[in-house]
């Protein structure tokens, strides 16, 4: 057999938290376990009927069956720009400051190819979403992990970044509300981040998939931008561009996967600095065309149509959060109640505090309950486990009952 030599950049991609748990689930399933899968943050809620109708009606339109180039995405870009302006009061040029994506993950994975030269550093949250690191590795960059600790509200401390690392750094990636910790960040933090990146000539990337999955009024993020003021009832968490309204160093990624339950349709967009949008567009043009036009039509319907489904989804996840937290407290596992996202970030009992992977593999093997080990999201995630609230309260409570038996 031919000895194929692979690129060294593949080495850091050998392990993935979701792929590892998928294998553990398969073993448990083969052993006859009933799986309650809380490991993957894929919403079990359906897309709204008016979204599905828009896609269905597109199927019989022959003009939607061909390649879709950039100019053909104008309707979607305009809908995205208007949605953003209504929510945050930030003016957006749909021609130069918006780019359709195959979910926000594509943006975080491909943008480093446009920013980093081999050996350059990217400053990433630790723990953080795996694709953030994957994109840096594909660009042959280096990662400096910014530790997130409970005592700091799971926010990074910029002053702790070593000067030699900063000198070689080209980008910083943030994401709040945060996956996996479910932490939120105030506008003052984003203002600090923008000033820091301006000072050190860094591109500031904000991955923003959980903009709508916020359960409680978590402060007042009102910020005047020209003659517009964001209505805090529309969004309880700030956009990075509210701290950088001139879009001097910032780009933000949004996906319809969470707010509109369209994860399988793979549709999102980048918004922000025109030069960064153009650079990402150049990378994207070398990799793929755009999605099927019918999916973009569905996304337009989602962004411009009734928003009651978003409120329903938020209420659903809040009920699940409350049921799961109450059940955990009932068995003596005192976990803080998160204010956002679809996750519970739970500190492991002392006996498992240094082995989250073993905890999760043994848990699914013995009980069928699948969760994601904190270590899979980065070194600073060790000692925690992430549960995704992707089932109804009765099944979540059953999962906690099984966890109680496991912990005994």
């Amino acid at each position: 057999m031919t000895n194929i030599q692979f690129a060294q950049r593949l080495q850091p991609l050998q392990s993935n938290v979701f792929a590892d748990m998928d294998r553990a689930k398969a073993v448990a399933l083969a052993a006859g376990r009933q799986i309650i899968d809380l490991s993957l943050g894929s919403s079990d809620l359906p897309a709204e009927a008016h979204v599905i109708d828009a896609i269905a009606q597109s199927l019989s339109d022959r003009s939607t069956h061909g390649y879709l180039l950039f100019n053909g995405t104008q309707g979607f870009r305009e809908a995205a720009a208007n949605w953003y302006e209504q929510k945050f009061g930030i003016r957006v040029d749909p021609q130069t400051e918006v780019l359709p994506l195959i979910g926000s993950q594509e943006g975080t994975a491909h943008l480093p190819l446009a920013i980093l030269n081999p050996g350059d550093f990217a400053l990433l949250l630790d723990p953080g979403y795996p694709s953030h690191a994957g994109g840096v590795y594909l660009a042959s960059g280096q990662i400096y992990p910014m530790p997130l600790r409970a005592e700091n509200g799971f926010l990074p401390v910029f002053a702790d970044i070593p000067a030699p690392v900063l000198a070689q750094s080209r980008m910083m990636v943030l994401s709040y509300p945060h996956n996996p910790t479910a932490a939120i960040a105030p506008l003052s933090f984003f203002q600090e981040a923008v000033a820091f990146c301006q000072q050190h000539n860094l591109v500031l990337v904000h991955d923003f998939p959980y903009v709508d999955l916020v359960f409680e009024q978590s402060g007042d993020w009102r910020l005047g931008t020209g003659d517009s003021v964001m209505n805090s009832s529309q969004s309880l968490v700030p956009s990075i561009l509210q701290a950088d309204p001139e879009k001097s160093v910032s780009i933000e990624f949004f996906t319809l996967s969470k707010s509109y339950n369209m994860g399988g349709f793979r549709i999102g967009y980048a918004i922000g600095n025109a030069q960064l949008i153009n650079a990402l567009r150049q990378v994207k043009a070398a990799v793929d065309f755009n999605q099927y036009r019918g999916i973009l039509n569905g996304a337009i319907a989602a962004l411009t149509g009734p928003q009651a489904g978003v409120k329903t989804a938020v209420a659903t996840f809040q009920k699940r959060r409350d049921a799961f937290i109450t059940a955990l407290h009932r068995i003596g596992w005192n976990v803080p109640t998160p204010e956002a996202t679809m996750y519970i970030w739970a500190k492991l009992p002392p006996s498992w505090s240094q082995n989250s992977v073993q905890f999760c593999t043994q848990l699914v093997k013995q009980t069928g309950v699948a969760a994601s080990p904190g270590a899979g999201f980065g070194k600073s995630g060790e000692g925690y486990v992430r549960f995704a609230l992707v089932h109804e309260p009765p099944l979540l409570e059953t999962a906690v009952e099984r966890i109680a038996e496991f912990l005994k």
Side-chain angles (χ1 to χ4, degrees), residues 237-369:
V237 292
S239 159
I240 196 70
L241 298 184
Q242 289 178 274
D244 187 13
E246 301 301 320
K247 309 180 188 75
S248 63
V249 295
S250 305
I251 186 170
E252 193 158 68
F253 297 124
F254 176 75
T255 174
L256 281 75
S257 297
K258 310 302 182 183
S259 298
Y260 298 99
N261 305 315
M262 295 180 67
F265 295 97
R266 308 311 304 137
I267 177 68
Y269 61 84
I271 194 163
N273 178 280
Q275 291 178 294
L276 295 174
I277 292 291
N278 185 60
L280 182 56
R281 180 182 169 188
Q282 289 178 278
V283 173
K284 183 177 176 64
V287 175
D288 62 53
F289 291 106
N290 293 286
Q291 299 92 317
Y292 168 55
R293 188 189 298 269
I295 292 177
L296 266 67
N297 289 341
I300 292 170
L303 294 171
T304 62
Q307 300 297 298
V310 178
K311 295 181 180 179
T312 298
V314 174
T316 297
F317 283 112
Q318 182 164 351
K319 289 179 181 178
R320 295 176 179 185
R321 175 203 68 173
D322 293 346
F324 195 74
I325 289 289
T326 298
L328 286 178
H329 288 180
R330 192 161 53 238
I331 69 170
W333 195 345
N334 293 317
V335 175
T337 301
E339 296 175 286
T341 78
M342 56 200 299
Y343 307 113
I344 303 297
W345 185 241
K347 190 172 184 178
L348 286 165
S351 58
W352 295 98
S353 63
Q354 296 302 314
N355 207 334
S356 59
V357 173
Q358 186 72 5
F359 174 88
C360 289
T361 54
Q362 289 300 311
L363 179 66
V364 72
K365 179 181 178 180
Q366 296 182 32
T367 72
V369 176

Side-chain angles (χ1 to χ4, degrees), residues 98-310:
V98 182
L99 183 69
L101 296 173
I102 307 173
S104 61
Q105 181 165 326
E106 181 202 355
T108 57
H110 281 163
L111 185 64
L113 293 170
I115 303 300
L116 302 178
N117 288 314
D120 287 344
F121 271 96
L123 309 175
L124 305 187
L125 301 180
D126 175 20
Y129 192 67
S131 76
H132 299 171
V136 175
Y137 290 133
L138 288 176
S140 299
Q142 300 186 74
I143 291 172
Y144 178 80
M146 298 184 291
L148 306 184
R149 298 187 174 91
E151 57 266 31
N152 297 323
F154 295 110
L155 300 176
V157 179
F158 301 140
D160 291 344
I161 303 170
V165 171
L166 266 180
Q168 298 181 66
S169 297
R170 298 294 176 263
M171 64 187 294
M172 174 190 290
V173 181
L174 302 176
S175 184
Y176 291 95
H178 185 240
N179 178 13
T181 70
I184 58 175
L187 183 60
S188 58
F189 168 79
F190 286 121
Q191 291 168 331
E192 179 188 356
V194 169
F196 184 86
C197 289
Q198 290 172 335
Q199 178 185 355
H200 296 284
N201 197 28
L202 303 173
V203 170
L204 180 52
V205 182
H206 188 226
D207 195 10
F208 203 23
Y210 301 99
V211 53
D212 290 310
L213 290 187
V214 183
F215 307 126
E216 299 174 3
Q217 182 97 15
S218 304
D220 188 354
W221 312 133
R222 288 180 176 271
L223 175 69
T225 53
D227 56 3
S228 299
V229 178
M230 189 193 82
N231 182 346
S232 62
S233 67
Q234 291 175 295
S235 179
L236 300 178
V237 292
S239 159
I240 196 70
L241 298 184
Q242 289 178 274
D244 187 13
E246 301 301 320
K247 309 180 188 75
S248 63
V249 295
S250 305
I251 186 170
E252 193 158 68
F253 297 124
F254 176 75
T255 174
L256 281 75
S257 297
K258 310 302 182 183
S259 298
Y260 298 99
N261 305 315
M262 295 180 67
F265 295 97
R266 308 311 304 137
I267 177 68
Y269 61 84
I271 194 163
N273 178 280
Q275 291 178 294
L276 295 174
I277 292 291
N278 185 60
L280 182 56
R281 180 182 169 188
Q282 289 178 278
V283 173
K284 183 177 176 64
V287 175
D288 62 53
F289 291 106
N290 293 286
Q291 299 92 317
Y292 168 55
R293 188 189 298 269
I295 292 177
L296 266 67
N297 289 341
I300 292 170
L303 294 171
T304 62
Q307 300 297 298
V310 178

